[in-house]
Amino acid sequence: MGGVSGLIYSSVPVVVFVLANAIFGLMPGIWCAVGSAVAITVLRIVRKEPLQPAISGFFGVAIAAFIAYRTGSAKGFFLFGIWASLVYCGIFVFSIVIRWPLAGVIWNLLNGTGHAWRKDKPSRFGYDIATLAMAAVFAARFVVQRWLYNEDYTGWLAFAKLAMGYPLYILGLLVVVWAVRRSEKRLKALEEEAPAEPTDAEVEAKLREKCAQAPEVS
């Protein structure tokens, strides 16, 4: 939702942290990462860009930096994102179990199209698949990055965070787009097949016709 600029902005603190940590050490790396997040937030304010992605990114970097500081390890910078991926995966899977697949809920909420898709089983099934695809994205992030974390591959961990970020997310969104188009096509077809609602004039005409045909009471 942050667009191309959001992709770049979210990557900068990670790259800055890894480089600064490799050259100057952990604490300078932490401060450089936080400083870059602050600079990005200020830049968005100056350019009058949407602040929500910047603020979310800033708090994400701040939490990651705090964990790295508390653990005393550079790989701790990535720990919050690793476990967040597992939580997101669980939420997406749970939404399928309770028959409110998040892919459908979020899309139709953002577009104000209501809940008609839930009454159509094929549409809901398509959103189930899309939601499962997004859950798989988060599951893959967790499995790969958790393994790299356990093996102390900090450099590769940073690479995996970037490579499995937006690129993998875009693949999941392609499945969401498929589900959306499939659902919209079906709902449009069902709407066209449904009998048209009578107008007020037609209802009034039918009532007059019934009254005219009713026998008079003597």
Side-chain angles (χ1 to χ4, degrees), residues 75-102:
K75 68 179 184 178
F77 185 83
F78 304 97
L79 194 58
F80 175 73
I82 292 172
W83 287 105
S85 294
L86 181 62
V87 172
Y88 291 146
C89 175
I91 292 173
F92 273 79
V93 171
F94 181 71
S95 73
I96 297 174
V97 173
I98 62 174
R99 297 186 178 183
W100 281 87
L102 273 181

PDB file of all heavy atoms in Angstrom, residues 75-102:
ATOM      1  N   LYS A  75      21.750 -10.000  14.931  1.00  0.00           N
ATOM      2  CA  LYS A  75      20.653 -10.787  14.370  1.00  0.00           C
ATOM      3  C   LYS A  75      19.343 -10.530  15.110  1.00  0.00           C
ATOM      4  O   LYS A  75      18.267 -10.805  14.578  1.00  0.00           O
ATOM      5  CB  LYS A  75      20.998 -12.274  14.397  1.00  0.00           C
ATOM      6  CG  LYS A  75      21.082 -12.881  15.795  1.00  0.00           C
ATOM      7  CD  LYS A  75      21.399 -14.367  15.709  1.00  0.00           C
ATOM      8  CE  LYS A  75      21.381 -15.026  17.102  1.00  0.00           C
ATOM      9  NZ  LYS A  75      21.651 -16.488  17.019  1.00  0.00           N
ATOM     10  N   GLY A  76      19.429  -9.981  16.330  1.00  0.00           N
ATOM     11  CA  GLY A  76      18.221  -9.647  17.073  1.00  0.00           C
ATOM     12  C   GLY A  76      17.385  -8.591  16.376  1.00  0.00           C
ATOM     13  O   GLY A  76      16.180  -8.473  16.617  1.00  0.00           O
ATOM     14  N   PHE A  77      18.015  -7.819  15.475  1.00  0.00           N
ATOM     15  CA  PHE A  77      17.310  -6.786  14.720  1.00  0.00           C
ATOM     16  C   PHE A  77      16.198  -7.399  13.861  1.00  0.00           C
ATOM     17  O   PHE A  77      15.208  -6.729  13.557  1.00  0.00           O
ATOM     18  CB  PHE A  77      18.319  -6.037  13.831  1.00  0.00           C
ATOM     19  CG  PHE A  77      17.744  -4.864  13.089  1.00  0.00           C
ATOM     20  CD1 PHE A  77      17.607  -3.629  13.702  1.00  0.00           C
ATOM     21  CD2 PHE A  77      17.338  -4.995  11.767  1.00  0.00           C
ATOM     22  CE1 PHE A  77      17.077  -2.542  13.018  1.00  0.00           C
ATOM     23  CE2 PHE A  77      16.812  -3.917  11.072  1.00  0.00           C
ATOM     24  CZ  PHE A  77      16.687  -2.681  11.705  1.00  0.00           C
ATOM     25  N   PHE A  78      16.340  -8.654  13.507  1.00  0.00           N
ATOM     26  CA  PHE A  78      15.390  -9.307  12.607  1.00  0.00           C
ATOM     27  C   PHE A  78      14.394 -10.197  13.348  1.00  0.00           C
ATOM     28  O   PHE A  78      13.501 -10.774  12.724  1.00  0.00           O
ATOM     29  CB  PHE A  78      16.144 -10.145  11.571  1.00  0.00           C
ATOM     30  CG  PHE A  78      17.152  -9.347  10.790  1.00  0.00           C
ATOM     31  CD1 PHE A  78      18.488  -9.346  11.171  1.00  0.00           C
ATOM     32  CD2 PHE A  78      16.772  -8.592   9.696  1.00  0.00           C
ATOM     33  CE1 PHE A  78      19.424  -8.607  10.459  1.00  0.00           C
ATOM     34  CE2 PHE A  78      17.695  -7.852   8.984  1.00  0.00           C
ATOM     35  CZ  PHE A  78      19.029  -7.857   9.366  1.00  0.00           C
ATOM     36  N   LEU A  79      14.548 -10.321  14.657  1.00  0.00           N
ATOM     37  CA  LEU A  79      13.737 -11.268  15.420  1.00  0.00           C
ATOM     38  C   LEU A  79      12.258 -10.885  15.424  1.00  0.00           C
ATOM     39  O   LEU A  79      11.382 -11.750  15.294  1.00  0.00           O
ATOM     40  CB  LEU A  79      14.257 -11.360  16.854  1.00  0.00           C
ATOM     41  CG  LEU A  79      13.759 -12.534  17.701  1.00  0.00           C
ATOM     42  CD1 LEU A  79      14.097 -13.853  17.028  1.00  0.00           C
ATOM     43  CD2 LEU A  79      14.385 -12.484  19.099  1.00  0.00           C
ATOM     44  N   PHE A  80      11.967  -9.601  15.564  1.00  0.00           N
ATOM     45  CA  PHE A  80      10.565  -9.151  15.594  1.00  0.00           C
ATOM     46  C   PHE A  80       9.853  -9.509  14.294  1.00  0.00           C
ATOM     47  O   PHE A  80       8.733 -10.022  14.298  1.00  0.00           O
ATOM     48  CB  PHE A  80      10.509  -7.638  15.835  1.00  0.00           C
ATOM     49  CG  PHE A  80       9.121  -7.073  15.766  1.00  0.00           C
ATOM     50  CD1 PHE A  80       8.209  -7.295  16.784  1.00  0.00           C
ATOM     51  CD2 PHE A  80       8.712  -6.314  14.667  1.00  0.00           C
ATOM     52  CE1 PHE A  80       6.921  -6.773  16.721  1.00  0.00           C
ATOM     53  CE2 PHE A  80       7.426  -5.798  14.589  1.00  0.00           C
ATOM     54  CZ  PHE A  80       6.529  -6.016  15.621  1.00  0.00           C
ATOM     55  N   GLY A  81      10.499  -9.255  13.158  1.00  0.00           N
ATOM     56  CA  GLY A  81       9.901  -9.564  11.868  1.00  0.00           C
ATOM     57  C   GLY A  81       9.687 -11.052  11.671  1.00  0.00           C
ATOM     58  O   GLY A  81       8.703 -11.476  11.044  1.00  0.00           O
ATOM     59  N   ILE A  82      10.604 -11.857  12.191  1.00  0.00           N
ATOM     60  CA  ILE A  82      10.484 -13.313  12.048  1.00  0.00           C
ATOM     61  C   ILE A  82       9.222 -13.821  12.741  1.00  0.00           C
ATOM     62  O   ILE A  82       8.416 -14.554  12.148  1.00  0.00           O
ATOM     63  CB  ILE A  82      11.733 -14.007  12.615  1.00  0.00           C
ATOM     64  CG1 ILE A  82      12.957 -13.699  11.736  1.00  0.00           C
ATOM     65  CG2 ILE A  82      11.517 -15.511  12.714  1.00  0.00           C
ATOM     66  CD1 ILE A  82      14.263 -14.191  12.318  1.00  0.00           C
ATOM     67  N   TRP A  83       9.041 -13.427  13.989  1.00  0.00           N
ATOM     68  CA  TRP A  83       7.884 -13.906  14.739  1.00  0.00           C
ATOM     69  C   TRP A  83       6.590 -13.242  14.277  1.00  0.00           C
ATOM     70  O   TRP A  83       5.507 -13.846  14.365  1.00  0.00           O
ATOM     71  CB  TRP A  83       8.097 -13.708  16.233  1.00  0.00           C
ATOM     72  CG  TRP A  83       9.099 -14.670  16.779  1.00  0.00           C
ATOM     73  CD1 TRP A  83      10.392 -14.424  17.140  1.00  0.00           C
ATOM     74  CD2 TRP A  83       8.894 -16.078  16.983  1.00  0.00           C
ATOM     75  NE1 TRP A  83      11.009 -15.577  17.555  1.00  0.00           N
ATOM     76  CE2 TRP A  83      10.116 -16.607  17.478  1.00  0.00           C
ATOM     77  CE3 TRP A  83       7.821 -16.929  16.803  1.00  0.00           C
ATOM     78  CZ2 TRP A  83      10.265 -17.952  17.788  1.00  0.00           C
ATOM     79  CZ3 TRP A  83       7.976 -18.280  17.108  1.00  0.00           C
ATOM     80  CH2 TRP A  83       9.187 -18.769  17.602  1.00  0.00           C
ATOM     81  N   ALA A  84       6.694 -12.001  13.782  1.00  0.00           N
ATOM     82  CA  ALA A  84       5.504 -11.345  13.228  1.00  0.00           C
ATOM     83  C   ALA A  84       4.980 -12.124  12.026  1.00  0.00           C
ATOM     84  O   ALA A  84       3.764 -12.249  11.830  1.00  0.00           O
ATOM     85  CB  ALA A  84       5.836  -9.912  12.831  1.00  0.00           C
ATOM     86  N   SER A  85       5.887 -12.674  11.222  1.00  0.00           N
ATOM     87  CA  SER A  85       5.474 -13.473  10.065  1.00  0.00           C
ATOM     88  C   SER A  85       4.680 -14.701  10.500  1.00  0.00           C
ATOM     89  O   SER A  85       3.679 -15.066   9.868  1.00  0.00           O
ATOM     90  CB  SER A  85       6.703 -13.916   9.258  1.00  0.00           C
ATOM     91  OG  SER A  85       7.357 -12.814   8.672  1.00  0.00           O
ATOM     92  N   LEU A  86       5.111 -15.333  11.583  1.00  0.00           N
ATOM     93  CA  LEU A  86       4.397 -16.504  12.083  1.00  0.00           C
ATOM     94  C   LEU A  86       3.000 -16.123  12.575  1.00  0.00           C
ATOM     95  O   LEU A  86       2.016 -16.832  12.318  1.00  0.00           O
ATOM     96  CB  LEU A  86       5.186 -17.158  13.214  1.00  0.00           C
ATOM     97  CG  LEU A  86       4.556 -18.417  13.824  1.00  0.00           C
ATOM     98  CD1 LEU A  86       4.436 -19.515  12.780  1.00  0.00           C
ATOM     99  CD2 LEU A  86       5.378 -18.901  15.018  1.00  0.00           C
ATOM    100  N   VAL A  87       2.901 -14.978  13.257  1.00  0.00           N
ATOM    101  CA  VAL A  87       1.603 -14.510  13.753  1.00  0.00           C
ATOM    102  C   VAL A  87       0.665 -14.204  12.589  1.00  0.00           C
ATOM    103  O   VAL A  87      -0.506 -14.599  12.593  1.00  0.00           O
ATOM    104  CB  VAL A  87       1.783 -13.261  14.642  1.00  0.00           C
ATOM    105  CG1 VAL A  87       0.424 -12.652  14.996  1.00  0.00           C
ATOM    106  CG2 VAL A  87       2.543 -13.619  15.907  1.00  0.00           C
ATOM    107  N   TYR A  88       1.179 -13.509  11.575  1.00  0.00           N
ATOM    108  CA  TYR A  88       0.361 -13.187  10.407  1.00  0.00           C
ATOM    109  C   TYR A  88      -0.125 -14.454   9.708  1.00  0.00           C
ATOM    110  O   TYR A  88      -1.282 -14.539   9.279  1.00  0.00           O
ATOM    111  CB  TYR A  88       1.148 -12.333   9.420  1.00  0.00           C
ATOM    112  CG  TYR A  88       1.437 -10.937   9.904  1.00  0.00           C
ATOM    113  CD1 TYR A  88       2.616 -10.288   9.562  1.00  0.00           C
ATOM    114  CD2 TYR A  88       0.525 -10.254  10.705  1.00  0.00           C
ATOM    115  CE1 TYR A  88       2.893  -9.005  10.005  1.00  0.00           C
ATOM    116  CE2 TYR A  88       0.795  -8.978  11.155  1.00  0.00           C
ATOM    117  CZ  TYR A  88       1.975  -8.350  10.798  1.00  0.00           C
ATOM    118  OH  TYR A  88       2.237  -7.079  11.240  1.00  0.00           O
ATOM    119  N   CYS A  89       0.756 -15.430   9.591  1.00  0.00           N
ATOM    120  CA  CYS A  89       0.386 -16.698   8.971  1.00  0.00           C
ATOM    121  C   CYS A  89      -0.765 -17.340   9.735  1.00  0.00           C
ATOM    122  O   CYS A  89      -1.745 -17.799   9.136  1.00  0.00           O
ATOM    123  CB  CYS A  89       1.595 -17.636   8.933  1.00  0.00           C
ATOM    124  SG  CYS A  89       1.225 -19.294   8.301  1.00  0.00           S
ATOM    125  N   GLY A  90      -0.659 -17.363  11.063  1.00  0.00           N
ATOM    126  CA  GLY A  90      -1.712 -17.947  11.888  1.00  0.00           C
ATOM    127  C   GLY A  90      -3.039 -17.224  11.739  1.00  0.00           C
ATOM    128  O   GLY A  90      -4.103 -17.857  11.665  1.00  0.00           O
ATOM    129  N   ILE A  91      -3.000 -15.886  11.657  1.00  0.00           N
ATOM    130  CA  ILE A  91      -4.225 -15.098  11.512  1.00  0.00           C
ATOM    131  C   ILE A  91      -4.903 -15.390  10.173  1.00  0.00           C
ATOM    132  O   ILE A  91      -6.128 -15.561  10.108  1.00  0.00           O
ATOM    133  CB  ILE A  91      -3.913 -13.594  11.637  1.00  0.00           C
ATOM    134  CG1 ILE A  91      -3.479 -13.269  13.073  1.00  0.00           C
ATOM    135  CG2 ILE A  91      -5.125 -12.756  11.246  1.00  0.00           C
ATOM    136  CD1 ILE A  91      -2.997 -11.844  13.260  1.00  0.00           C
ATOM    137  N   PHE A  92      -4.104 -15.472   9.103  1.00  0.00           N
ATOM    138  CA  PHE A  92      -4.677 -15.749   7.786  1.00  0.00           C
ATOM    139  C   PHE A  92      -5.309 -17.137   7.743  1.00  0.00           C
ATOM    140  O   PHE A  92      -6.404 -17.310   7.197  1.00  0.00           O
ATOM    141  CB  PHE A  92      -3.594 -15.623   6.710  1.00  0.00           C
ATOM    142  CG  PHE A  92      -3.424 -14.227   6.185  1.00  0.00           C
ATOM    143  CD1 PHE A  92      -2.716 -13.283   6.903  1.00  0.00           C
ATOM    144  CD2 PHE A  92      -3.994 -13.850   4.983  1.00  0.00           C
ATOM    145  CE1 PHE A  92      -2.559 -11.990   6.430  1.00  0.00           C
ATOM    146  CE2 PHE A  92      -3.855 -12.560   4.491  1.00  0.00           C
ATOM    147  CZ  PHE A  92      -3.132 -11.622   5.226  1.00  0.00           C
ATOM    148  N   VAL A  93      -4.635 -18.126   8.311  1.00  0.00           N
ATOM    149  CA  VAL A  93      -5.177 -19.482   8.321  1.00  0.00           C
ATOM    150  C   VAL A  93      -6.448 -19.550   9.165  1.00  0.00           C
ATOM    151  O   VAL A  93      -7.445 -20.173   8.778  1.00  0.00           O
ATOM    152  CB  VAL A  93      -4.128 -20.484   8.853  1.00  0.00           C
ATOM    153  CG1 VAL A  93      -4.754 -21.863   9.070  1.00  0.00           C
ATOM    154  CG2 VAL A  93      -2.952 -20.592   7.888  1.00  0.00           C
ATOM    155  N   PHE A  94      -6.441 -18.882  10.309  1.00  0.00           N
ATOM    156  CA  PHE A  94      -7.617 -18.876  11.196  1.00  0.00           C
ATOM    157  C   PHE A  94      -8.820 -18.244  10.515  1.00  0.00           C
ATOM    158  O   PHE A  94      -9.961 -18.695  10.692  1.00  0.00           O
ATOM    159  CB  PHE A  94      -7.289 -18.128  12.487  1.00  0.00           C
ATOM    160  CG  PHE A  94      -8.420 -18.085  13.471  1.00  0.00           C
ATOM    161  CD1 PHE A  94      -8.811 -19.227  14.147  1.00  0.00           C
ATOM    162  CD2 PHE A  94      -9.106 -16.899  13.706  1.00  0.00           C
ATOM    163  CE1 PHE A  94      -9.868 -19.194  15.056  1.00  0.00           C
ATOM    164  CE2 PHE A  94     -10.156 -16.855  14.601  1.00  0.00           C
ATOM    165  CZ  PHE A  94     -10.538 -17.998  15.278  1.00  0.00           C
ATOM    166  N   SER A  95      -8.565 -17.205   9.707  1.00  0.00           N
ATOM    167  CA  SER A  95      -9.670 -16.548   9.008  1.00  0.00           C
ATOM    168  C   SER A  95     -10.338 -17.490   8.005  1.00  0.00           C
ATOM    169  O   SER A  95     -11.538 -17.386   7.757  1.00  0.00           O
ATOM    170  CB  SER A  95      -9.168 -15.283   8.298  1.00  0.00           C
ATOM    171  OG  SER A  95      -8.388 -15.604   7.155  1.00  0.00           O
ATOM    172  N   ILE A  96      -9.563 -18.410   7.442  1.00  0.00           N
ATOM    173  CA  ILE A  96     -10.143 -19.403   6.525  1.00  0.00           C
ATOM    174  C   ILE A  96     -11.001 -20.394   7.309  1.00  0.00           C
ATOM    175  O   ILE A  96     -12.088 -20.763   6.866  1.00  0.00           O
ATOM    176  CB  ILE A  96      -9.030 -20.152   5.768  1.00  0.00           C
ATOM    177  CG1 ILE A  96      -8.241 -19.183   4.894  1.00  0.00           C
ATOM    178  CG2 ILE A  96      -9.609 -21.273   4.911  1.00  0.00           C
ATOM    179  CD1 ILE A  96      -7.029 -19.809   4.226  1.00  0.00           C
ATOM    180  N   VAL A  97     -10.521 -20.797   8.472  1.00  0.00           N
ATOM    181  CA  VAL A  97     -11.243 -21.776   9.304  1.00  0.00           C
ATOM    182  C   VAL A  97     -12.611 -21.241   9.711  1.00  0.00           C
ATOM    183  O   VAL A  97     -13.610 -21.979   9.704  1.00  0.00           O
ATOM    184  CB  VAL A  97     -10.406 -22.135  10.547  1.00  0.00           C
ATOM    185  CG1 VAL A  97     -11.216 -23.025  11.494  1.00  0.00           C
ATOM    186  CG2 VAL A  97      -9.112 -22.831  10.145  1.00  0.00           C
ATOM    187  N   ILE A  98     -12.689 -19.951  10.054  1.00  0.00           N
ATOM    188  CA  ILE A  98     -13.963 -19.376  10.499  1.00  0.00           C
ATOM    189  C   ILE A  98     -14.786 -18.828   9.325  1.00  0.00           C
ATOM    190  O   ILE A  98     -15.797 -18.159   9.526  1.00  0.00           O
ATOM    191  CB  ILE A  98     -13.739 -18.271  11.544  1.00  0.00           C
ATOM    192  CG1 ILE A  98     -12.935 -17.106  10.947  1.00  0.00           C
ATOM    193  CG2 ILE A  98     -13.054 -18.822  12.777  1.00  0.00           C
ATOM    194  CD1 ILE A  98     -12.808 -15.919  11.893  1.00  0.00           C
ATOM    195  N   ARG A  99     -14.328 -19.097   8.089  1.00  0.00           N
ATOM    196  CA  ARG A  99     -15.048 -18.740   6.865  1.00  0.00           C
ATOM    197  C   ARG A  99     -15.160 -17.230   6.651  1.00  0.00           C
ATOM    198  O   ARG A  99     -16.146 -16.741   6.092  1.00  0.00           O
ATOM    199  CB  ARG A  99     -16.436 -19.385   6.857  1.00  0.00           C
ATOM    200  CG  ARG A  99     -16.385 -20.908   6.851  1.00  0.00           C
ATOM    201  CD  ARG A  99     -17.751 -21.512   6.702  1.00  0.00           C
ATOM    202  NE  ARG A  99     -17.695 -22.970   6.655  1.00  0.00           N
ATOM    203  CZ  ARG A  99     -18.747 -23.760   6.476  1.00  0.00           C
ATOM    204  NH1 ARG A  99     -19.959 -23.234   6.333  1.00  0.00           N
ATOM    205  NH2 ARG A  99     -18.603 -25.074   6.436  1.00  0.00           N
ATOM    206  N   TRP A 100     -14.159 -16.511   7.101  1.00  0.00           N
ATOM    207  CA  TRP A 100     -14.029 -15.089   6.797  1.00  0.00           C
ATOM    208  C   TRP A 100     -12.628 -14.848   6.247  1.00  0.00           C
ATOM    209  O   TRP A 100     -11.814 -14.162   6.871  1.00  0.00           O
ATOM    210  CB  TRP A 100     -14.260 -14.234   8.046  1.00  0.00           C
ATOM    211  CG  TRP A 100     -15.706 -14.055   8.405  1.00  0.00           C
ATOM    212  CD1 TRP A 100     -16.460 -14.875   9.173  1.00  0.00           C
ATOM    213  CD2 TRP A 100     -16.559 -12.978   7.990  1.00  0.00           C
ATOM    214  NE1 TRP A 100     -17.741 -14.392   9.281  1.00  0.00           N
ATOM    215  CE2 TRP A 100     -17.832 -13.226   8.571  1.00  0.00           C
ATOM    216  CE3 TRP A 100     -16.371 -11.848   7.195  1.00  0.00           C
ATOM    217  CZ2 TRP A 100     -18.910 -12.363   8.369  1.00  0.00           C
ATOM    218  CZ3 TRP A 100     -17.450 -10.987   7.010  1.00  0.00           C
ATOM    219  CH2 TRP A 100     -18.700 -11.253   7.588  1.00  0.00           C
ATOM    220  N   PRO A 101     -12.300 -15.424   5.065  1.00  0.00           N
ATOM    221  CA  PRO A 101     -10.943 -15.303   4.525  1.00  0.00           C
ATOM    222  C   PRO A 101     -10.513 -13.843   4.404  1.00  0.00           C
ATOM    223  O   PRO A 101     -11.214 -13.026   3.791  1.00  0.00           O
ATOM    224  CB  PRO A 101     -11.034 -15.985   3.152  1.00  0.00           C
ATOM    225  CG  PRO A 101     -12.498 -15.995   2.817  1.00  0.00           C
ATOM    226  CD  PRO A 101     -13.211 -16.104   4.126  1.00  0.00           C
ATOM    227  N   LEU A 102      -9.368 -13.524   4.991  1.00  0.00           N
ATOM    228  CA  LEU A 102      -8.940 -12.132   5.086  1.00  0.00           C
ATOM    229  C   LEU A 102      -8.744 -11.458   3.735  1.00  0.00           C
ATOM    230  O   LEU A 102      -8.939 -10.248   3.614  1.00  0.00           O
ATOM    231  CB  LEU A 102      -7.640 -12.042   5.893  1.00  0.00           C
ATOM    232  CG  LEU A 102      -7.805 -11.917   7.415  1.00  0.00           C
ATOM    233  CD1 LEU A 102      -6.449 -11.816   8.082  1.00  0.00           C
ATOM    234  CD2 LEU A 102      -8.659 -10.707   7.756  1.00  0.00           C
TER     235      LEU A 102
END
